[in-house]
Amino acid sequence: MANLKFNPVVWFEIYVEDIDRATRFYENVLSIRLEDASDPTNEETQMRFFPGNMEWHGTGGALVKMKGVKAGGGNVLVYFACEDCGVEEGRVEAAGGKIIQPKTSIGEHGFCAIVQDTEGNVFGLHSMK
């Protein structure tokens, strides 16, 4: 088995039914701004990029509304880094989402919470405190 010299995950996409509603949810919960990255020549796909910097640890990603692709029900769990995941968890229900697993200790690896967005997608929040 080869030793990787990079992180194996390079991008993620969260599929949504209502891109404006999903954008408001993630902006409110994560306290960030998503950037419209839709191609005006492709009316079947809308995208909103999460903020990112390719020189930092981690990966970039986007919310995507695409004809023929359903939101929710996936079996891949994306975790968003937080300073204290309890803070972001505290914003989930007010933003229209649900808490699946409240902030829980994972020992020396910090803490995590599992939540659901307005589109039915489940994702994680992770922090060291």
Side-chain angles (χ1 to χ4, degrees):
M1 182 169 291
N3 289 330
L4 295 177
K5 302 223 189 270
F6 55 88
N7 290 323
V9 177
V10 297
W11 185 256
F12 68 87
E13 293 180 348
I14 300 172
Y15 289 93
V16 302
E17 297 293 331
D18 184 326
I19 196 139
D20 293 326
R21 177 179 62 201
T23 297
R24 284 190 303 275
F25 175 84
Y26 283 95
E27 286 182 341
N28 287 328
V29 170
L30 299 175
S31 193
I32 58 172
R33 287 285 167 234
L34 277 69
E35 176 186 346
D36 187 3
S38 300
D39 178 352
T41 65
N42 181 354
E43 295 178 8
E44 294 185 358
T45 302
Q46 296 174 292
M47 296 181 81
R48 304 273 169 82
F49 285 172
F50 285 87
N53 180 328
M54 296 305 286
E55 295 184 22
W56 293 349
H57 175 72
T59 186
L63 295 177
V64 179
K65 181 177 187 225
M66 185 181 302
K67 184 177 179 181
V69 180
K70 297 299 269 175
N75 60 359
V76 174
L77 194 59
V78 173
Y79 281 82
F80 289 95
C82 309
E83 186 171 332
D84 177 347
C85 64
V87 172
E88 287 76 7
E89 175 194 317
R91 298 179 188 137
V92 167
E93 290 178 336
K98 296 178 186 173
I99 297 168
I100 306 297
Q101 173 191 298
K103 181 179 176 181
T104 302
S105 172
I106 51 176
E108 67 183 80
H109 303 290
F111 298 86
C112 69
I114 310 292
V115 300
Q116 184 176 44
D117 71 10
T118 55
E119 309 304 294
N121 296 300
V122 176
F123 66 94
L125 301 166
H126 175 265
S127 64
M128 290 307 294
K129 67 177 187 176

